[in-house]
Coordinates of all heavy atoms in Angstrom, one line a residue:
L245 N 102.8 75.5 69.8 CA 102.3 76.0 71.0 C 103.2 75.6 72.1 O 103.4 74.4 72.4 CB 100.9 75.3 71.4 CG 99.8 75.7 70.3 CD1 98.5 74.9 70.8 CD2 99.5 77.1 70.3
D246 N 103.9 76.6 72.7 CA 104.7 76.3 73.9 C 103.8 75.9 75.0 O 102.7 76.4 75.1 CB 105.4 77.6 74.4 CG 106.5 78.2 73.4 OD1 106.8 77.4 72.5 OD2 106.8 79.3 73.6
T247 N 104.2 74.9 75.7 CA 103.5 74.5 76.9 C 104.4 74.5 78.2 O 105.5 74.1 78.0 CB 102.8 73.1 76.9 OG1 103.9 72.1 77.1 CG2 102.3 72.8 75.5
C248 N 103.9 75.1 79.2 CA 104.7 75.1 80.5 C 104.4 73.6 80.9 O 103.4 73.3 81.5 CB 104.3 76.1 81.4 SG 105.4 76.2 82.9
S249 N 105.3 72.7 80.7 CA 104.9 71.2 80.7 C 105.4 70.5 82.0 O 104.9 69.4 82.2 CB 105.7 70.6 79.5 OG 107.1 70.6 79.6
N250 N 106.3 71.1 82.7 CA 106.9 70.2 83.8 C 106.4 70.7 85.2 O 106.9 71.7 85.7 CB 108.4 70.5 83.7 CG 109.2 69.5 84.6 OD1 108.7 68.8 85.4 ND2 110.5 69.3 84.1
P251 N 105.6 69.8 85.9 CA 105.1 70.2 87.2 C 106.2 70.2 88.3 O 106.2 71.0 89.3 CB 104.1 69.1 87.5 CG 104.3 68.1 86.5 CD 104.9 68.7 85.3
D252 N 107.3 69.4 88.0 CA 108.4 69.3 88.9 C 109.2 70.6 89.0 O 109.9 70.9 89.9 CB 109.3 68.2 88.5 CG 108.7 66.8 88.7 OD1 107.8 66.6 89.5 OD2 109.2 65.9 88.0
L253 N 109.0 71.5 88.0 CA 109.7 72.8 88.0 C 108.7 73.9 88.1 O 109.1 75.1 88.0 CB 110.5 72.9 86.7 CG 111.8 72.1 86.5 CD1 112.5 72.4 85.1 CD2 112.8 72.3 87.6
G254 N 107.5 73.6 88.6 CA 106.6 74.5 88.9 C 105.5 74.9 88.0 O 104.6 75.7 88.3
C255 N 105.4 74.2 86.8 CA 104.3 74.4 85.9 C 103.0 73.9 86.5 O 102.9 72.9 87.2 CB 104.5 73.8 84.7 SG 106.0 74.3 83.6
Q256 N 101.9 74.7 86.3 CA 100.6 74.3 86.8 C 99.6 74.3 85.7 O 99.7 75.2 84.8 CB 100.2 75.2 87.9 CG 101.2 75.1 89.1 CD 100.6 76.1 90.3 OE1 99.5 76.5 90.3 NE2 101.5 76.3 91.1
G257 N 98.6 73.4 85.7 CA 97.5 73.4 84.7 C 97.4 72.2 84.0 O 98.3 71.3 84.0
P258 N 96.3 72.0 83.3 CA 96.0 70.7 82.5 C 97.1 70.4 81.6 O 97.3 69.2 81.2 CB 94.7 70.9 81.9 CG 94.0 72.0 82.7 CD 95.2 72.9 83.1
Q259 N 97.8 71.4 81.0 CA 98.8 71.2 80.0 C 100.0 70.4 80.4 O 100.8 70.0 79.6 CB 99.2 72.5 79.2 CG 100.3 73.3 80.1 CD 99.8 74.0 81.3 OE1 98.6 74.0 81.5 NE2 100.7 74.4 82.1
T260 N 100.2 70.3 81.7 CA 101.3 69.6 82.3 C 101.1 68.1 82.1 O 102.0 67.3 82.3 CB 101.5 69.8 83.8 OG1 100.4 69.4 84.5 CG2 101.8 71.2 84.0
D261 N 99.9 67.6 81.6 CA 99.6 66.2 81.4 C 99.9 65.9 79.8 O 99.3 66.6 79.0 CB 98.1 65.9 81.5 CG 97.7 64.5 81.5 OD1 98.5 63.7 80.8 OD2 96.6 64.1 81.8
P262 N 100.8 65.1 79.6 CA 101.2 64.7 78.2 C 100.0 64.3 77.4 O 99.9 64.5 76.2 CB 102.2 63.6 78.3 CG 102.7 63.7 79.6 CD 101.7 64.2 80.6
A263 N 98.9 63.7 77.9 CA 97.7 63.2 77.2 C 97.1 64.4 76.7 O 96.5 64.5 75.5 CB 96.9 62.4 78.2
V264 N 97.0 65.6 77.4 CA 96.3 66.8 77.0 C 97.1 67.4 75.9 O 96.5 67.8 74.7 CB 96.2 67.8 78.1 CG1 95.7 69.2 77.7 CG2 95.3 67.3 79.2

Side-chain angles (χ1 to χ4, degrees):
L245 294 179
D246 296 344
T247 76
C248 192
S249 65
N250 192 340
D252 292 338
L253 291 182
C255 296
Q256 298 181 17
Q259 83 290 343
T260 59
D261 185 345
V264 171

